[in-house]
Amino acid sequence: MCGVIGLFDNENVVSKLYSSMLTIQHRGQDSAGILTFDGTFHLKKGNGLIRDIFDQKNIARLQGNIGIGHTRYPTVGEGSVEDAQPFWLNFPFGIAGAHNGNITNFFQLKKELNDKSKKIINSNCDMEVVLNVFAEYIEKFKNKKITPEIIFNAVKYVYKRVKGSYAVVLYIAGIGMLGFRDPYGLRPLLFGETKPELTNEKSIYGFASESTSLSVLNFDIIRDVEPGSAIFINEDKEIFEKKLSSKPHRPCIFEYIYFARPDSDLNGINVYSSRVELGNSLAKKIKKLKLDIDIVSPVPDSARTASIAIARKLKLKYREGLVKNRYIGRTFIMPEDNARKESINQKLNPIEAVFIDKNVLLVDDSIVRGNTSRAIVQMVRNAGAKKIFFASYSSPLTNPCFYGIDMQTKGEFIALNSTEEEIAKKIGADLVIYQDIKDMERSVRAQNKQIKSFCKACFTGDYPTGDITEDMLVQIENDRANNVKSKLNNKNK
Ligand code: 5GP
Ligand code: SF4
Ligand code: MG
């Protein structure tokens, strides 16, 4: 998963862009980059957190009113700095951009661009391929005036060739800024506007993966870029918008469960409220089980909202018994199992006074491999708990995500080919309770019934883009397995 922001300001944009980017740090902690334009492109990217990559020196160098920022966690490639975004091309006009998502036919496109168009794709970053496909279309018009119509047709050309999920922000030098979402709108992208203090100045426009990134800049109007649609802002700051695909909207349900910030609104759904609803709905299921529960306790931070809702519905005590060390990164980013296990213990610590002699309902957003859950159950037992019921407010995860969330390979899912009793045994809990898939979808959909269905392929194996073949499953599985191996080899060097 990644985060992307594009701002079209009237003055130097870098300080606004930097503060806005801090709101998407949770979407990728592997690398980050900022690109600005003031007649030429200026670019700084690096590995690590935003605060460690940018300093006064490189911020001063990032001049211009136009800026694109990106935070990355890699789904393709080894995470080297060459693969970090934004990317830029110097033909046909100079095009720069960044995206959030994952291109499923990346390797095929890379080969096609090389064989047929003699383009060398240097990186393993899928944005380089998107940029090249887009550029290939508008190159034909390089001696003409580039109209919004040509730009929109270029996006259609991207839709035709590029498969997977992508929410893209581009800047075409001297022509304008463009934001578009893939035909199914799998990944979020918001568009916003704010009027500057001086009335004779034009509005400032922005695109962002989460609404929070624009609301922290006090944008007045924030709305979603429609799925399969593009919004183009020309150099005079005129806005053009076009729907370019009529595929059904299938936003990623996992954004609400885990990924996005609770203060964001995506696709007309507030993330916090959807987690309250997920909690309410799971509470109904738990109530029917008539369990002897003394306290409800969340696995911080994502499960806090749903846990409070569960405790309230069940009229039980809510107790925060696990303390999180905020200064350790997300554990699933670590490729090596041992490193992951160790860092879970450093990340969470139990409060004995909360758990001793209690029957505990522990609530988490999801169970992926089960390493976190196993370590937590152990921890809570050691702190003196009598019984531990482990509830996941999402359904069992059993399939890899090809659209940008790194679920790793299929074999690693603890819920695959296992009953709930077996899962409970594997993680050491007395009982495991999952949200039913219908309730999960209904809870998130409650705020926007216009969305007929979400992407929930990681729970069902039903991939909405319809292009994930058995061969691709095997291929991507192998690529991922090799990726993990090569990360480990690099680490051991
Ligand atoms: P696991 O069951 O793999 O040990 O870890 C599950 C925990 O990882 C949950 O607490 C959940 O918050 C977190 N998690 C959420 N999203 C992801 C993801 O995309 N990938 C992985 N591996 N873990 C995630
Ligand atoms: Fe989101 Fe899962 Fe679909 Fe991936 S497979 S886009 S994580 S719902
Ligand atoms: Mg968690």
Side-chain angles (χ1 to χ4, degrees), residues 258 299-303 324 331 347-348 364-366 372 376:
Y258 173 75
V299 177
D301 289 311
S302 44
K324 185 172 174 177
T331 49
K347 195 169 154 181
L348 288 173
D364 205 352
D365 56 87
S366 58
T372 315
I376 290 167

Side-chain angles (χ1 to χ4, degrees), residues 433-447:
I433 310 152
Y434 281 105
Q435 181 100 255
D436 293 339
I437 198 145
K438 275 201 181 112
D439 293 337
M440 181 176 81
E441 186 159 31
R442 189 187 37 73
S443 305
V444 180
R445 198 173 157 250
Q447 291 172 69

Side-chain angles (χ1 to χ4, degrees), residues 40-329:
T40 53
F41 290 129
H42 307 285
L43 177 64
K44 167 69 191 171
K45 46 190 183 182
N47 284 333
L49 299 178
I50 297 165
R51 63 163 188 243
D52 300 324
I53 298 167
F54 302 98
D55 56 26
Q56 272 180 342
K57 227 170 87 193
N58 53 52
I59 288 280
R61 188 169 63 72
L62 294 165
Q63 293 285 316
N65 300 353
I66 303 221
I68 297 176
H70 188 264
T71 55
R72 171 171 208 245
Y73 109 51
T75 40
V76 178
E78 290 169 19
S80 72
V81 74
E82 289 81 39
D83 297 342
Q85 300 188 39
F87 252 89
W88 60 276
L89 307 176
N90 57 9
F91 80 99
F93 301 90
I95 307 178
H99 92 126
N100 167 212
N102 188 48
I103 310 305
T104 48
N105 60 343
F106 170 76
F107 292 104
Q108 181 202 330
L109 282 173
K110 189 170 171 172
K111 191 171 181 313
E112 272 175 31
L113 283 161
N114 191 264
D115 293 351
K116 292 189 197 144
S117 317
K118 303 289 166 230
K119 298 267 158 43
I120 308 244
I121 305 296
N122 283 308
S123 74
N124 263 326
C125 170
D126 45 11
M127 187 59 205
E128 197 182 358
V129 158
V130 178
L131 277 181
N132 270 278
V133 172
F134 183 86
E136 199 167 86
Y137 187 87
I138 61 168
E139 197 177 13
K140 291 185 274 186
F141 302 91
K142 65 173 181 248
N143 299 321
K144 292 197 178 129
K145 183 175 160 37
I146 300 294
T147 60
E149 213 44 47
I150 294 173
I151 303 270
F152 291 142
N153 285 336
V155 176
K156 262 193 178 166
Y157 183 67
V158 171
Y159 286 171
K160 213 165 79 188
R161 293 193 60 190
V162 180
K163 306 292 172 213
S165 70
Y166 39 95
V168 179
V169 180
L170 290 183
Y171 178 70
I172 310 157
I175 293 175
M177 187 177 265
L178 173 72
F180 61 92
R181 282 171 88 185
D182 65 73
Y184 297 90
L186 280 153
R187 301 262 73 95
L189 190 67
L190 285 296
F191 176 62
E193 174 186 2
T194 181
K195 306 250 185 282
E197 279 156 33
L198 300 172
T199 46
N200 60 342
E201 280 199 336
K202 292 183 174 162
S203 287
I204 302 165
Y205 293 103
F207 294 99
S209 295
E210 295 200 25
S211 62
T212 306
S213 313
L214 299 175
S215 58
V216 293
L217 298 177
N218 292 323
F219 272 53
D220 307 320
I221 305 163
I222 305 169
R223 62 184 174 86
D224 293 271
V225 175
E226 293 299 311
S229 292
I231 297 179
F232 173 62
I233 312 152
N234 72 9
E235 291 292 279
D236 295 323
K237 290 205 162 169
E238 291 169 303
I239 309 284
F240 303 86
E241 185 168 6
K242 196 159 184 182
K243 178 97 179 146
L244 300 160
S245 161
S246 54
K247 293 273 196 286
H249 191 187
R250 293 286 180 266
C252 164
I253 201 161
F254 214 67
E255 290 276 354
Y256 303 95
I257 292 163
Y258 173 75
F259 225 86
R261 282 172 60 122
D263 48 345
S264 278
D265 295 307
L266 311 174
N267 307 296
I269 298 171
N270 172 252
V271 175
Y272 172 85
S273 306
S274 67
R275 289 183 192 162
V276 170
E277 215 28 61
L278 284 158
N280 286 340
S281 144
L282 187 57
K284 280 189 202 151
K285 180 169 176 179
I286 296 171
K287 194 170 183 182
K288 286 187 199 143
L289 298 174
K290 298 200 171 22
L291 301 170
D292 180 16
I293 302 167
D294 297 316
I295 56 165
V296 180
S297 197
V299 177
D301 289 311
S302 44
R304 195 170 276 134
T305 312
S307 304
I308 294 172
I310 292 173
R312 206 180 42 217
K313 276 263 168 210
L314 298 179
K315 300 196 173 57
L316 289 169
K317 287 190 194 107
Y318 170 81
R319 291 286 181 269
E320 300 218 357
L322 293 165
V323 179
K324 185 172 174 177
N325 184 334
R326 291 172 196 285
Y327 306 100
I328 294 174

Side-chain angles (χ1 to χ4, degrees), residues 187 252-254 401 403 405 407 455-458:
R187 301 262 73 95
C252 164
I253 201 161
F254 214 67
C401 172
Y403 306 130
I405 292 197
M407 299 280 188
C455 174
K456 33 188 193 312
C458 46

